[in-house]
Amino acid sequence: MQTLTIIRPDDFHLHVRSGDALKSVVPFTARQMGRALIMPNLKPPVCTVAQALAYREEILAAVPPERQGRFQPLMSLYLTDKTTVETVREAKAAGIAAFKLYPAGATTNSDSGVTDLFKLLPVLEAMADQGILFLAHGEVTDPEIDIFDREAVFIERIMKPVLEQIPHLKVVFEHITTAEAARLVCEGGERLAATVTPQHLMYNRNHLLVGGVRPHFYCLPIIKRETHRQALIGAVTGEHAHKFFLGTDSAPHPQTAKENACGCAGMFSAATAIELYAQIFERAGALDKLEAFASKNGARFYGLPENTDTITLVKQPQTVPQSFAFGGGRVVPMCAGEVLDWTVQAAV
């Protein structure tokens, strides 16, 4: 039986919601990951240090007993038009890892997001000076821009000018979906990196649209053409692979909210995250590069030590459940009802 043991991975882009829903999903990540960077787009959003620290305690309380003290949530703050330089300084002092850009209206719970990033250049300068990372949801929200083009337009209108004006700012281009984004990261110097999700490595827009709209494949940024998927595979396994790392963007929603006339965006992958990536990398002929992507590249970019324990996967098929408990309802996972090639066997 084929086995694969790697340094315990980290998830550098995770949504866990709050309340009973949080209690349902945190254990999945805590059992697989050593650390997870928690996204701040709650209602209301996590905009202050006090809110972030309280949220961290709520997450820690939901960690299973066997992982208590061994799983670390990394906190981020929600960037708004009202974020100040002083907020950045407070965040640094409190150990906050990053600020997250949500362009207003771009995705779930982004109504409080930034309307004009260039008005916040002094705040970004402060982040650069303090060594706090800038995490970008890279889409414009202009209604005249096609939803499939919003990432590419963001690169030209916003990302490139910001990188030029603040050359010492460390930037993570989150959940990239296009060849243009992969190229920018590869060519962008060592202060620019990107997270890549399992869905954008596995699927193209046919999975969402062919045979009818399939709501459980709907996420933002939206899944793109096959040429873009292939470009992402090439990026995470190619010459500049050290600039890309694991960020699931696992985003659970109740099944009833996904399967309605206005289904919400997000795919829940935390239950089988490392197995999904193992399957992706093996089918790309690059299983030997999984450990760096999952366990090393992100830690290095964030200035963190690698985890000291390991996780073992075995080449043993597993069928993903059709749904999991999620607060008072159910959440449908990515690949529900499908057979995955790998199963987590044990952690040492």
Side-chain angles (χ1 to χ4, degrees), residues 34 77 79 148 161 190 253 273 310:
L77 293 185
L79 192 67
F148 291 98
E190 294 305 311
H253 293 281
T310 61

Side-chain angles (χ1 to χ4, degrees), residues 202-215:
M202 287 183 71
Y203 301 135
N204 62 47
R205 63 189 187 179
N206 284 357
H207 293 88
L208 171 65
L209 298 171
V210 171
V213 177
R214 303 167 71 188

Side-chain angles (χ1 to χ4, degrees), residues 35-273:
R35 293 167 291 223
L37 185 67
I38 308 299
M39 293 295 106
N41 58 330
L42 301 182
K43 284 188 175 180
V46 180
C47 298
T48 70
V49 168
Q51 289 171 328
L53 296 181
Y55 191 26
R56 184 177 187 274
E57 291 306 309
E58 183 183 6
I59 294 166
L60 287 172
V63 174
E66 70 273 15
R67 292 292 295 158
Q68 287 283 346
R70 303 174 69 186
F71 169 74
Q72 180 184 6
L74 306 173
M75 307 311 295
S76 63
L77 293 185
Y78 190 113
L79 192 67
T80 76
D81 289 343
K82 297 180 180 179
T83 302
T84 66
V85 169
E86 182 56 34
T87 305
V88 175
R89 295 190 183 115
E90 292 174 0
K92 176 65 175 180
I96 302 298
F99 281 77
K100 176 67 185 290
L101 167 69
Y102 292 98
T107 189
T108 303
N109 298 345
S110 61
D111 294 345
S112 300
V114 172
T115 57
D116 183 352
L117 184 62
F118 295 102
K119 291 182 179 179
L120 290 174
L121 287 180
V123 173
L124 299 185
E125 288 273 9
M127 290 167 54
D129 293 340
Q130 295 290 327
I132 292 182
L133 275 66
F134 173 57
L135 316 181
H137 179 118
E139 293 187 288
V140 297
T141 56
D142 301 19
E144 72 272 14
I145 302 299
D146 189 293
I147 191 170
F148 291 98
D149 296 329
R150 290 180 176 181
E151 185 172 279
V153 173
F154 178 89
I155 290 170
E156 297 302 322
R157 289 187 181 178
I158 299 173
M159 183 68 92
K160 286 182 177 179
V162 166
L163 292 172
E164 290 172 2
Q165 293 183 57
I166 312 177
H168 56 307
L169 180 66
K170 289 190 74 172
V171 179
V172 180
F173 201 160
E174 297 288 355
H175 43 50
I176 64 169
T177 67
T178 61
E180 291 89 345
R183 187 180 312 115
L184 177 74
V185 174
C186 288
E187 298 173 353
E190 294 305 311
R191 51 65 177 263
L192 177 62
T195 55
V196 192
T197 75
Q199 60 263 31
H200 292 110
L201 290 168
M202 287 183 71
Y203 301 135
N204 62 47
R205 63 189 187 179
N206 284 357
H207 293 88
L208 171 65
L209 298 171
V210 171
V213 177
R214 303 167 71 188
H216 292 289
F217 287 84
Y218 175 49
C219 59
L220 290 172
I222 200 164
I223 296 166
K224 306 298 196 299
R225 291 180 180 270
E226 175 64 10
T227 52
H228 293 295
R229 188 189 75 83
Q230 291 289 345
L232 297 182
I233 292 289
V236 302
T237 62
E239 178 184 359
H240 301 283
H242 68 284
K243 302 189 72 180
F244 301 89
F245 46 87
L246 190 157
T248 61
D249 193 19
S250 181
H253 293 281
Q255 184 172 359
T256 53
K258 291 287 288 182
E259 299 173 3
N260 66 29
C262 187
C264 48
M267 299 180 71
F268 175 61
S269 58
T272 56

